[in-house]
Amino acid sequence: MNKKELAKYVALDCGTSIQQAEEILNSILRNITLAVSEGDVVEFVGFGSFVAKLRKKRKGFNLKTNEQIEIPARIVPVFRAGKKFKEQVNRKGF
């Protein structure tokens, strides 16, 4: 499912236009991104949380030259699934 398809379902659930639902989704995503980039945790109880996590520097290999390189530390966004979300996914299976 992509953002347009999600907006369609949100519009149907909420009785709004698809365009309004897209604007709301864009606002939600923009604000989650802003909050996490400022170091905040965005948590939806039962669904999950978005956090920024520090990935330590580490050693890697250039596969073309087989030479060892150092990969610098950086901050990465992480999503942690909540209990209810995990349970729902496991209930449906593949």
Side-chain angles (χ1 to χ4, degrees):
M1 178 183 302
N2 61 33
K3 190 164 56 169
K4 274 200 177 298
E5 292 168 334
L6 181 58
K8 184 177 88 175
Y9 289 115
V10 170
L12 289 172
D13 283 348
C14 298
T16 64
S17 71
I18 294 174
Q19 185 178 18
Q20 288 174 319
E22 279 187 54
E23 289 175 17
I24 292 167
L25 281 173
N26 287 335
S27 175
I28 291 169
L29 295 174
R30 185 173 47 253
N31 283 289
I32 289 172
T33 302
L34 180 63
V36 172
S37 70
E38 292 176 350
D40 292 336
V41 175
V42 179
E43 185 173 8
F44 299 102
V45 176
F47 179 73
S49 58
F50 297 90
V51 297
K53 191 172 184 175
L54 177 64
R55 182 177 287 172
K56 295 178 182 178
K57 71 178 181 177
R58 61 192 195 280
K59 294 182 180 181
F61 286 93
N62 180 334
L63 296 176
K64 289 184 179 180
T65 63
N66 206 25
E67 143 179 35
Q68 191 173 22
I69 57 172
E70 189 167 295
I71 301 169
R74 64 182 185 166
I75 298 172
V76 294
V78 176
F79 174 74
R80 295 186 195 140
K83 183 179 178 183
K84 289 181 184 178
F85 184 44
K86 288 179 188 177
E87 289 171 355
Q88 181 67 28
V89 170
N90 281 319
R91 203 172 311 144
K92 295 287 181 182
F94 285 102

